[in-house]
Amino acid sequence: MGVEPENTLRSFVRAERTGMDAIALDLRLSKDGVLVVLHDADVDRTTDGSGAVTDLTLDELRGLDAGQGERIPVFEEVLDSVRTPLQVSVQDRPAAAALAELLVGRDLTARVEVASFHDAVLAEAARLAPGVRTVLHSDLGGGSAAEVVDRALAAGVRALALDLRRLTLETVEAAHRAGLRVTGWTANTLEQLRLARALELDGVATDFPEIRSTGRFTA
């Protein structure tokens, strides 16, 4: 998020208070198998520490400063702190399996949407958490409209989240014809918002929740 430390409880609470339709976050597994909220595979960029998330225990991760004194949150803390629907990104099958177990155990499949750049990860989540909604992320690098839609349908997803910088009306229309919802990332300026509207997107992701005053978006 552009106005609060990235992927922290404080950022999610602020997004909820500004009325976001959904909150997007990223999950990683700690060395001891706990789902923590962090975008990168390592902690170097967003904390005062260094190293891969998978090489650090929960206690080690919780000892890091994620910005302005904030800690790296455990996913269950986010579930307990905000009521807004969540779009959760996972990029490997172990994290998807841990997430699916949590969603089923806490009966949260209706509240949490699972997103990934990897088809196999989405398939794993859907297999282990029947009924969960899944979203295919793509930067559209080198792929045609037909290819990304075919990939989404083969993966059994309900929505596409695509790179706004490479997105075309042809792709959006092809996805809509196939019954897929389409969102774009990331819209942080009025020019990008105008582009999203011109493309007839179903929503956009933004780093600035206050931008909601101009439409309905995902933080």
Side-chain angles (χ1 to χ4, degrees), residues 55-198:
D55 291 335
L56 299 169
T57 65
L58 177 61
D59 285 344
E60 290 170 328
L61 290 166
R62 297 286 272 177
L64 302 178
D65 186 339
Q68 301 179 41
E70 294 293 304
R71 297 191 303 175
I72 296 172
V74 174
F75 181 48
E76 290 198 64
E77 288 180 319
V78 180
L79 290 170
D80 294 335
S81 298
V82 299
R83 306 317 308 168
T84 301
L86 302 174
Q87 184 183 103
V88 178
S89 293
V90 290
Q91 304 308 329
D92 60 71
R93 295 179 72 170
L99 174 60
E101 182 180 3
L102 178 61
L103 296 183
V104 172
R106 292 188 53 170
D107 192 23
L108 293 169
T109 54
R111 181 184 163 199
V112 177
E113 199 172 54
V114 181
S116 183
F117 283 93
H118 307 292
D119 308 50
V121 170
L122 295 173
E124 183 78 349
R127 181 180 70 84
L128 296 173
V132 72
R133 292 167 295 151
T134 52
V135 181
L136 179 64
H137 277 264
S138 175
D139 63 6
L140 296 171
S144 68
E147 287 170 340
V148 72
V149 170
D150 287 347
R151 184 181 162 201
L153 294 176
V157 305
R158 300 186 186 182
L160 288 166
L162 306 175
D163 186 346
L164 186 61
R165 298 168 301 175
R166 294 177 172 174
L167 194 48
T168 65
L169 185 58
E170 176 192 10
T171 301
V172 178
E173 290 176 340
H176 281 164
R177 285 195 300 270
L180 298 168
R181 181 167 55 90
V182 186
T183 62
W185 46 269
T186 305
N188 288 335
T189 67
L190 289 178
E191 181 178 280
Q192 290 165 336
L193 288 178
R194 284 193 289 269
L195 173 60
R197 291 193 174 102

Side-chain angles (χ1 to χ4, degrees), residues 196-208:
R197 291 193 174 102
L199 291 170
E200 301 180 355
L201 296 180
D202 300 295
V204 295
T206 181
D207 295 321
F208 298 94

